[in-house]
Structures are given as C-alpha cells and as structure tokens.
Amino acid sequence: DVKVTQSSRYLVKRTGEKVFLECVQDMDHENMFWYRQDPGLGLRLIYFSYDVKMKEKGDIPEGYSVSREKKERFSLILESASTNQTSMYLCASSLEQLSGNTIYFGEGSWLTVV
Amino acid sequence: SQKIEQNSEALNIQEGKTATLTCNYTNYSPAYLQWYRQDPGRGPVFLLLIRENEKEKRKERLKVTFDTTLKQSLFHITASQPADSATYLCALADNYGQNFVFGPGTRLSVLP
C-alpha cells in the first residue's frame, strides 16, 4: 500500500520559532509537494520538488523554505513562525504528472502558532 | 486568469438519491482531470481520473464526465449513502504539467 507519512500530526509552536515539518514517501516518486489548507481558501501549493535537491515555488512560498536531500524525504521549514501560518499542512507525492498519475497525500499536520 | 470552481460549497441530498457535483475551469487546457475525497481532518484520497479524450469514466457507484468544450467535469454518486458524506475536490494539472491545481471543494452531506 502506498504511503506518505508526515512526522507530526499536531504541533503548537511559539511566534518566532523555527519549525520543521517532515514528510517521507515510500513509493519512489519523483515529485513531492507541500500544500496548506485553510477554510474557504482550499488547497494552496507552497513548494514542490521534482527531483532531489530541486525545488520550485508554488503559489504561496513566502515565509517558507524546503529541503529535499533524499528522494523519499521532503521537509518544509518555517524560518520564523507567525500566527498567520497556523494551518493544516499536507504533504503529497506523485510520479511525473504528464502521464496522468495520481497524487498521494499524507494525513496532514495541524500547526498552531501562538 | 486561471480558475477552478466547484458548483457549491455544500450540497445536501437524501439517501438513495444521485449526487451531482460540478467542476468548471477557465484558462486551463488539462490533459486530464481528477476527483478526490477528503474526510474532516484527513488528507484527500484519489477517486477517479478522466483523460481529455474520455467522455465518461465509471467506478462502482461513481461516474465522472469530462467536457473539454464546456470546460466542465461532472461527478455523480448514485444510490448515495450517509458514508458518502465528505468534501469532494476536483484537480487538474496546470498548463505546464508540473503541478496539480485543486478546486475549493464541495461538502456533500447525505441525509438518512
């Protein structure tokens, strides 16, 4: 069974803290994504990566960075957490999209910044 | 500008009826379109994919249509059950084929 695992399900962090959200996939997928999901705004792409050490900005990259040192692992970093980054964060992976492959999501990480 | 819209934020139907959800897009030329189900507090789960050269796709009680002229996909759940209650998202690849873009979702409630 395919699996995308997010390291933390629930986190509470203080404003200004550095936050790491980790994601691991076991499907040998090339592409990995980080989304955030907020009520009324839907899923918004933060960053994606199509290969090791490669990254591309999505729609809302400000305040975030990412790291992909190994194919199976994609980390989202909040350099200095702010309250407007309180959200549900979803990691996903897929094979190369042009062939119509599906995207697999993790269970989500609920981050609260106080 | 590019946009994906789903017909309504919430849809209530009676158990046993057919639920029909709509996904409309503008300024995209997707080679395929996908539908996902999301339960509260969980990540979306893939349901169906339909390609631009396919008019209709079925899987058990689910049916998806894709009209590239109207730029619309319809998602049907026949003989709906309370367990079908969830948010349903449509998604398509952007024009570069690198990213998935998701619609805002429709929250379906099937009433017993």
Side-chain angles (χ1 to χ4, degrees):
Chain A
D1 218 9
V2 298
K3 206 157 177 71
V4 178
T5 303
Q6 296 184 227
S7 56
S8 304
R9 191 89 170 95
Y10 300 98
L11 305 96
V12 179
K13 297 291 182 181
R14 295 193 181 280
T15 300
E17 273 193 81
K18 190 168 186 174
V19 182
F20 292 88
L21 298 179
E22 306 284 347
C23 176
V24 177
Q25 51 98 359
D26 65 359
M27 295 164 283
D28 202 35
H29 283 170
E30 291 86 6
N31 298 324
M32 296 189 76
F33 309 84
W34 274 106
Y35 291 88
R36 67 177 279 179
Q37 188 172 34
D38 302 285
L41 296 175
L43 279 163
R44 293 182 292 167
L45 181 66
I46 305 171
Y47 267 97
F48 70 100
S49 168
Y50 52 87
D51 203 351
V52 176
K53 296 194 187 293
M54 306 298 285
K55 61 184 179 185
E56 293 285 341
K57 292 179 181 178
D59 300 317
I60 51 163
E62 296 78 20
Y64 303 94
S65 62
V66 291
S67 172
R68 187 134 181 236
E69 296 297 318
K70 293 185 178 181
K71 189 176 186 180
E72 66 271 17
R73 189 178 296 270
F74 193 36
S75 303
L76 180 69
I77 303 150
L78 286 67
E79 295 290 341
S80 177
S82 63
T83 54
N84 62 11
Q85 292 179 308
T86 292
S87 186
M88 179 174 178
Y89 290 87
L90 285 159
C91 175
S93 73
S94 77
L95 291 169
E96 190 267 325
Q97 283 91 333
L98 289 175
S99 56
N101 289 290
T102 61
I103 185 168
Y104 296 90
F105 284 89
E107 287 291 285
S109 297
W110 290 90
L111 172 66
T112 301
V113 182
V114 298
Chain B
S1 62
Q2 295 176 319
K3 202 189 300 186
I4 304 177
E5 294 175 314
Q6 293 189 240
N7 56 323
S8 55
E9 196 172 316
L11 180 66
N12 296 329
I13 64 163
Q14 212 63 41
E15 183 176 5
K17 301 289 187 185
T18 296
T20 298
L21 285 64
T22 305
C23 177
N24 294 293
Y25 58 92
T26 53
N27 294 322
Y28 285 105
S29 300
Y32 55 90
L33 188 145
Q34 304 179 352
W35 285 89
Y36 289 78
R37 170 185 171 137
Q38 186 175 23
D39 292 291
R42 319 288 288 202
V45 175
F46 171 77
L47 295 175
L48 279 169
L49 178 151
I50 186 164
R51 299 182 190 279
E52 60 180 339
N53 61 349
E54 297 174 317
K55 295 293 183 197
E56 184 180 294
K57 188 73 88 60
R58 290 176 187 262
K59 180 182 176 183
E60 298 169 355
R61 294 184 295 110
L62 308 180
K63 185 179 88 169
V64 172
T65 63
F66 192 14
D67 188 325
T68 55
T69 302
L70 290 178
K71 296 186 183 296
Q72 180 182 80
S73 175
L74 299 178
F75 177 81
H76 307 272
I77 306 175
T78 58
S80 59
Q81 304 165 2
D84 295 326
S85 298
T87 296
Y88 292 86
L89 305 164
C90 65
L92 48 83
D94 69 12
N95 290 344
Y96 302 101
Q98 285 188 305
N99 296 323
F100 287 95
V101 183
F102 285 82
T106 296
R107 189 173 66 251
L108 174 68
S109 297
V110 181
L111 308 172

